[in-house]
Amino acid sequence: MAAGTVAPHPYPSLTKNYHYEAELVAILDKGGRDIPVDKALDLVYGYSLGLDMTRRDLQRALGDEKKPWEIGKIFDHSAPIGAIHKVAQTGHFTQGAIWLKVNGQTKQNANLKQMIWSVAEQISKLSQAFELFPGDIIYSGTPENVGPVLRGDVIEMHIDGLPNLSVKIV
């Protein structure tokens, strides 16, 4: 999506409680297994902004039933992503503002340095559980205060050093 545009984002089926989560996204151009933390950022091609959207009511209901809750997280259009920017142009993101607004009102506001695990730590941990491949996309976690959106709402997401990502729920 071109910077400065607002893309339509369809409200999904099977939910009445649709939530946003703003995230820094790392895109890999190298893979491997058991990557040490100090080598993990060597795998990163670039970064983007991403929305990790959730059908929260389905996620919670299935979790309460002790059933897999992927249906709440994995569905058509569940992970809008902005343009990818090469590390050579942006550097690595370890600090800087990350925020999300709904209809102009700030809902999430934090600093990337507050992440529980850095991107390097996440890549290292993931590579212990899975073989990573070029083209893998890692959504790195969200600040506190996730919340619901309705049809007609406009979400704007920001990370210092990247163009904003904006979608309208339709």
Side-chain angles (χ1 to χ4, degrees), residues 1 4 20 31 46 52 60 65 76 99 101 145 154-155 158:
M1 170 174 53
Y20 55 78
D52 179 8
R60 286 182 180 147
E65 295 175 18
D76 294 341
W99 53 254
K101 295 179 181 181
N145 299 323
V154 175
I155 300 172
H158 171 87

Side-chain angles (χ1 to χ4, degrees), residues 7-86:
H9 179 78
Y11 194 98
S13 62
L14 305 177
T15 188
K16 292 184 177 20
N17 193 9
Y18 194 41
H19 281 213
Y20 55 78
E21 299 179 23
E23 303 197 25
L24 172 67
V25 180
I27 297 89
L28 306 185
D29 69 346
K30 296 181 186 84
R33 280 190 137 313
D34 299 316
I35 309 296
V37 172
D38 64 338
K39 302 288 186 201
L41 292 180
D42 295 344
L43 277 65
V44 177
Y45 169 79
Y47 291 96
S48 189
L49 301 92
L51 294 170
D52 179 8
M53 303 299 289
T54 304
R55 297 187 285 195
R56 193 72 69 203
D57 47 355
L58 294 179
Q59 180 190 35
R60 286 182 180 147
L62 290 166
D64 289 347
E65 295 175 18
K66 306 292 187 237
K67 294 180 180 175
W69 47 264
E70 286 87 355
I71 195 170
K73 296 294 287 183
I74 302 168
F75 50 92
D76 294 341
H77 310 284
S78 64
I81 187 171
I84 298 167
H85 299 271
K86 295 179 185 179

Side-chain angles (χ1 to χ4, degrees), residues 47-146:
Y47 291 96
S48 189
L49 301 92
L51 294 170
D52 179 8
M53 303 299 289
T54 304
R55 297 187 285 195
R56 193 72 69 203
D57 47 355
L58 294 179
Q59 180 190 35
R60 286 182 180 147
L62 290 166
D64 289 347
E65 295 175 18
K66 306 292 187 237
K67 294 180 180 175
W69 47 264
E70 286 87 355
I71 195 170
K73 296 294 287 183
I74 302 168
F75 50 92
D76 294 341
H77 310 284
S78 64
I81 187 171
I84 298 167
H85 299 271
K86 295 179 185 179
V87 168
Q89 297 166 323
T90 65
H92 291 287
F93 290 85
T94 57
Q95 64 178 353
I98 177 173
W99 53 254
L100 180 140
K101 295 179 181 181
V102 177
N103 301 325
Q105 183 178 27
T106 301
K107 299 292 186 174
Q108 293 185 289
N109 190 10
N111 192 297
L112 294 172
K113 67 183 174 187
Q114 295 171 299
M115 293 172 65
I116 294 170
W117 285 357
S118 70
V119 170
E121 291 167 325
Q122 290 179 51
I123 290 170
S124 180
K125 289 285 187 189
L126 287 168
S127 76
Q128 293 169 20
F130 309 99
E131 182 175 1
L132 299 178
F133 291 94
D136 282 349
I137 296 173
I138 300 170
Y139 277 61
S140 64
T142 194
E144 64 183 355
N145 299 323
V146 301

